[in-house]
């Protein structure tokens, strides 16, 4: 069997621009596919909840333009998964529009543009739940309840290889995917060319974060992966400054994963327990021994974000050493003033005390602050902006009036850099980190084919 | 040598100490070593176990979902459950990227035998 080579220039397209030099070196090596993932749940629940991107439009366009021009010049497919950070329908439409505009801008010859959606309607899940197919929780979460479903603003399903392969089979030159497993984007390309499941999924796993599988550390550089038809995966750094080593490639298997041996996707699990890593040349490491185990039941991962309320933020500083030591009393005073005005519940109020445990909260082992000054960030979340603003203002400004028994400074207990509170993005939380049983891998991912270029 | 240098801090031995989200409900920690000798030294010292990291972070052992000694990458890795999902209001570290600092000062005990073995390994390693 012929080998298949894929280059990946960016582990999260749009979050920061790809580095052109190593990308152009990768293109010059004439790969069979150019592919990248554009999504992440690291950015928090806000973008999915509000159906927006956290990436800048000009950076998304920059990378799509580089990849599209290279792919059309080489005449090879370009594949993008998890469009626009969240992979919601509006983000797929955004990227499809960008591809069409770029094709027109550069006068590209007509090509087939395939895309699929990943959003899931709440009623679909409700019907599953009522029909006796529970929406099971991941990472220790209990099964989804209808109450949690009702409190969810947007839901996306995580596609496996299936919609990508379907669009490749139908001759798509460019694919814009909704929410997808990172590894599936690349695995689909290798499977489409007839390679085995184990090496195809491992290829996807190692390529998904681009140069994070190379060393020295440096993001947004292009990496090439190859499956050579005899079960081996070869991964090569394209940047002159980077190498793919046994340590860097093996190390990547554990990045952002709780377990380095198992990677779950729709339809199965890639077992990397018996992977063997060999340095075969200065910049290339060869991996063998991965084993893909198909699942008995097809379950698809779901992500959902639900709105908690409008949000305001206040900031206060403390320099008096007595007040630094008693910051908990200052906060309790302010909380009490909020409670007297707004009661015990119906809102949320948070204090992050930087200089004490602002970064780690309860995980902070240093229990007694060593700092001579503190910064307190106050967050208030409430059903309306007016209420959130008043709670935040009370919770921030009342620290100024905190009554401490032995304080020397009686003109104000905190400092302000602003005599106001700031409107922040609405507060969301992840309501779904679950899976749903489906009949097949295409069930939740409607596919479409259109054309772009002249 | 023995007695004087009876411990070393993890930060002096490890190549990489990092933390990062592993999905929306967990934070995972990676401690990666340059070579087999450093990895074996720390692993065999039992200074990093499910129990010691739970104590370090002041959490119950059942909040640690995974604790893995990952030979191919010379790495020790553990993962803990967040109390609330990443990015919920009040979460001070949406990416979970700044939770590793307490690991740096973990004291790794060195037996006399281990010191000799470690130094011997270094002397023959051309990468050092």
């Amino acid at each position: 069997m012929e080998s298949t080579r894929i280059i990946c220039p960016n582990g999260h397209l749009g979050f920061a621009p790809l580095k052109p030099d190593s990308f152009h070196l990768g293109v010059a090596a004439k790969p069979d596919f150019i592919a990248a993932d554009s999504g992440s749940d690291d950015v928090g629940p806000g973008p999915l909840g509000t159906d927006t991107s956290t990436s800048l439009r000009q950076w998304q366009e920059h990378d799509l333009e580089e990849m599209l021009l290279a792919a059309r010049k080489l005449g090879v497919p370009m594949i993008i998964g998890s469009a626009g950070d969240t992979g919601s329908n509006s983000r797929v439409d955004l990227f499809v529009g960008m591809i069409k505009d770029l094709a027109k801008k550069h006068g590209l010859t007509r090509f087939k543009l395939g895309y699929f959606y990943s959003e899931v309607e709440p009623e679909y899940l409700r019907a599953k739940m009522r029909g006796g197919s529970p929406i099971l929780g991941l990472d220790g979460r209990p099964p989804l309840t209808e109450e949690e479903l009702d409190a969810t603003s947007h839901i996306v399903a995580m596609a496996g290889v299936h919609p990508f392969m379907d669009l490749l089979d139908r001759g798509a030159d460019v694919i814009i995917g909704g929410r997808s497993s990172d590894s599936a984007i690349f695995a689909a390309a290798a499977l489409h060319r007839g390679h085995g499941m184990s090496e195809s999924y491992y290829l996807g796993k190692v390529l998904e974060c681009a140069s994070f599988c190379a060393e020295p550390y440096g993001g947004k550089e292009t990496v090439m992966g190859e499956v050579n038809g005899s079960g081996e995966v070869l991964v090569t750094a394209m940047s002159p400054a980077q190498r793919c080593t046994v340590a860097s490639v093996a190390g990547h298997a554990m990045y952002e994963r709780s377990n380095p041996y198992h990677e779950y996707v729709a339809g199965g699990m890639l077992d990397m327990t018996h992977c063997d890593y060999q340095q075969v040349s200065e910049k290339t490491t060869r991996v063998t021994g991965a084993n893909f185990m198909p699942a008995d039941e097809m379950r698809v991962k779901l992500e959902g974000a639900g709105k908690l309320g409008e949000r305001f933020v206040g900031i206060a500083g403390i320099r008096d050493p007595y007040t630094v030591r008693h910051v908990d009393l200052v906060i309790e005073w302010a909380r009490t003033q909020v409670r007297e005005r707004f009661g015990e519940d119906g809102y949320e109020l948070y204090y992050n005390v930087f200089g004490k445990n602002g970064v780690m909260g309860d995980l902070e082992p240093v229990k007694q602050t060593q700092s001579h000054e503190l910064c307190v960030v106050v967050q208030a979340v409430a059903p309306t902006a007016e209420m959130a603003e008043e709670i935040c203002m009370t919770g921030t400004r009342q620290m100024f009036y905190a009554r401490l028994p032995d304080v020397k400074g009686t003109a104000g207990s905190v400092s302000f850099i602003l005599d106001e509170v700031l409107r922040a993005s609405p507060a969301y939380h992840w309501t779904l980190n679950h899976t749903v049983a489906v009949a097949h891998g295409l069930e939740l991912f409607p596919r479409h084919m259109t054309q772009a270029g002249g | 040598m023995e007695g004087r240098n009876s411990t070393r801090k993890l930060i002096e031995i490890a190549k990489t100490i990092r933390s990062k989200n592993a999905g929306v409900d967990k934070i995972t920690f990676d401690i990666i070593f340059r070579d087999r000798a450093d990895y074996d030294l720390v692993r065999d010292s039992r200074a990093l176990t499910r129990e010691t990291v739970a104590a370090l972070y002041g959490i119950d052992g059942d909040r640690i979902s995974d604790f893995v000694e990952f030979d191919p990458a010379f790495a020790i890795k553990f993962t803990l459950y967040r109390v609330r999902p990443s990015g919920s209001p009040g979460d001070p570290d949406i990416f979970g990227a700044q939770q590793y600092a307490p690991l740096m000062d973990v004291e790794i005990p060195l037996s006399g035998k281990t010191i000799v073995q470690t130094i011997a390994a270094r002397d023959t390693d051309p990468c050092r």
Side-chain angles (χ1 to χ4, degrees), chain A residues 88-343:
Chain A
S88 70
N89 293 2
S90 78
R91 302 301 94 188
V92 172
D93 291 340
L94 176 76
F95 274 24
V96 167
M98 284 182 184
I99 294 290
K100 287 183 173 177
D101 290 347
L102 288 166
K104 187 181 282 183
K105 174 182 167 186
H106 292 281
L108 298 180
T109 310
R110 184 165 290 230
F111 59 89
K112 290 174 87 172
L113 171 55
Y115 57 98
F116 70 84
Y117 293 123
S118 289
E119 269 192 52
V120 178
E121 289 299 320
E123 295 318 309
Y124 166 90
L125 296 181
R126 199 185 311 276
K128 289 263 184 186
M129 293 158 77
R130 291 184 178 175
S133 176
I135 311 303
L136 300 178
L138 290 168
D139 300 327
R141 289 189 181 217
L144 185 69
T145 64
E146 291 203 32
E147 191 182 0
E148 289 166 327
L149 183 64
D150 292 337
T152 300
S153 311
H154 282 277
I155 306 164
V156 287
M158 189 83 78
V161 295
H162 316 88
F164 290 105
M165 290 185 69
D166 179 64
L167 290 166
L168 286 170
D169 288 344
R170 289 159 61 184
D173 297 301
V174 174
I175 297 174
I176 300 298
R179 189 71 171 122
S180 333
S181 284
D182 299 359
S183 60
I185 302 161
F186 309 89
L191 290 168
H192 173 72
R193 300 255 296 190
H195 294 278
M197 300 236 266
S198 297
E199 54 267 37
S200 296
Y201 278 102
Y202 186 83
L203 178 75
K205 171 63 193 153
V206 75
L207 283 181
E208 47 133 348
C209 278
S211 49
F212 275 14
C213 69
E215 65 180 339
Y217 173 82
K220 310 300 172 188
E221 301 286 358
T222 292
V223 166
M224 175 180 287
E226 175 177 0
V227 277
N228 65 7
S230 52
E232 299 176 344
V233 177
L234 295 144
V235 53
T236 307
M238 290 291 113
S239 164
Q242 289 186 313
R243 306 164 63 215
C244 287
T245 66
V246 171
S248 72
V249 173
H252 177 66
M254 64 184 172
Y255 182 66
E256 295 183 323
R257 295 290 182 274
S258 50
N259 187 308
Y261 296 119
H262 302 143
E263 177 81 359
Y264 291 88
V265 294
M269 183 268 283
L270 180 68
D271 186 345
M272 295 176 279
T273 308
H274 301 294
C275 277
D276 179 63
Y277 304 83
Q278 296 290 335
Q279 190 85 40
V280 292
S281 67
E282 191 202 347
K283 297 169 80 70
T284 302
T285 285
R286 179 182 64 207
V287 187
T288 52
N291 184 24
F292 186 79
M293 306 174 78
D296 295 334
E297 179 189 38
M298 177 78 78
R299 296 194 73 88
V300 173
K301 181 180 171 182
L302 303 166
E303 294 175 339
K307 188 172 181 178
L308 292 167
E310 301 298 327
R311 173 161 56 173
F312 276 76
V313 170
I315 303 169
I318 299 175
R319 180 62 177 82
D320 181 316
Y322 176 83
T323 313
V324 167
R325 281 199 303 280
H326 295 90
V327 61
D328 292 346
L329 294 177
V330 175
I331 291 168
E332 191 45 42
W333 169 267
R335 280 191 184 278
T336 301
Q337 308 310 303
V338 171
R339 274 198 291 272
E340 285 178 3
R341 167 79 177 80
F342 292 96

Side-chain angles (χ1 to χ4, degrees), chain A residues 394-442:
Chain A
T394 305
T396 306
R397 194 168 283 169
Q398 283 296 326
M399 287 197 291
F400 191 82
Y401 300 113
R403 297 176 187 179
L404 300 180
D406 295 319
V407 73
K408 299 289 181 193
T410 53
S413 296
V414 298
S415 71
F416 292 124
I417 57 170
L418 294 166
D419 185 30
E420 62 186 310
V421 292
L422 309 175
R423 184 156 196 179
S425 56
Y428 282 82
H429 67 146
W430 290 113
T431 50
L432 266 82
N433 178 24
H434 290 71
T435 64
V436 61
V438 294
H440 53 81
L442 294 173

Side-chain angles (χ1 to χ4, degrees), chain A residues 15 40-45 138-141 212 215 246-248 250-261 272-273 275 277 301 303 308 311 348 350 352 354 357-365 367 379 381 427-430 432-433, chain B residues 15 18 20-34 55-59 63 65-81 83-95 98-102:
Chain A
F15 201 65
S40 177
D41 56 24
D42 271 345
V43 295
L138 290 168
D139 300 327
R141 289 189 181 217
F212 275 14
E215 65 180 339
V246 171
S248 72
H252 177 66
M254 64 184 172
Y255 182 66
E256 295 183 323
R257 295 290 182 274
S258 50
N259 187 308
Y261 296 119
M272 295 176 279
T273 308
C275 277
Y277 304 83
K301 181 180 171 182
E303 294 175 339
L308 292 167
R311 173 161 56 173
E348 295 179 41
Y350 298 95
N352 292 105
F354 292 91
N357 61 359
V359 177
M360 297 188 59
D362 289 343
L363 291 176
E364 175 61 66
K367 297 301 180 194
Q379 286 187 68
V381 177
Y428 282 82
H429 67 146
W430 290 113
L432 266 82
N433 178 24
Chain B
K15 177 171 80 169
R18 67 187 181 191
K20 184 78 199 290
N21 287 348
V24 302
D25 290 323
K26 295 194 263 191
I27 299 175
T28 194
F29 295 73
D30 301 334
I31 303 115
I32 308 173
F33 301 94
R34 286 182 191 81
L56 178 65
Y57 283 94
I59 59 176
R63 259 187 76 186
S65 70
D66 299 81
F67 192 98
V68 180
E69 291 162 351
F70 185 41
D71 292 359
F74 303 142
I76 296 171
K77 175 174 184 65
F78 63 93
T79 304
L80 54 83
Y81 289 109
V83 174
R84 297 189 309 145
S86 64
S88 301
D91 174 13
D93 192 1
I94 292 174
F95 287 71
Q98 279 294 307
Q99 303 301 310
Y100 59 84

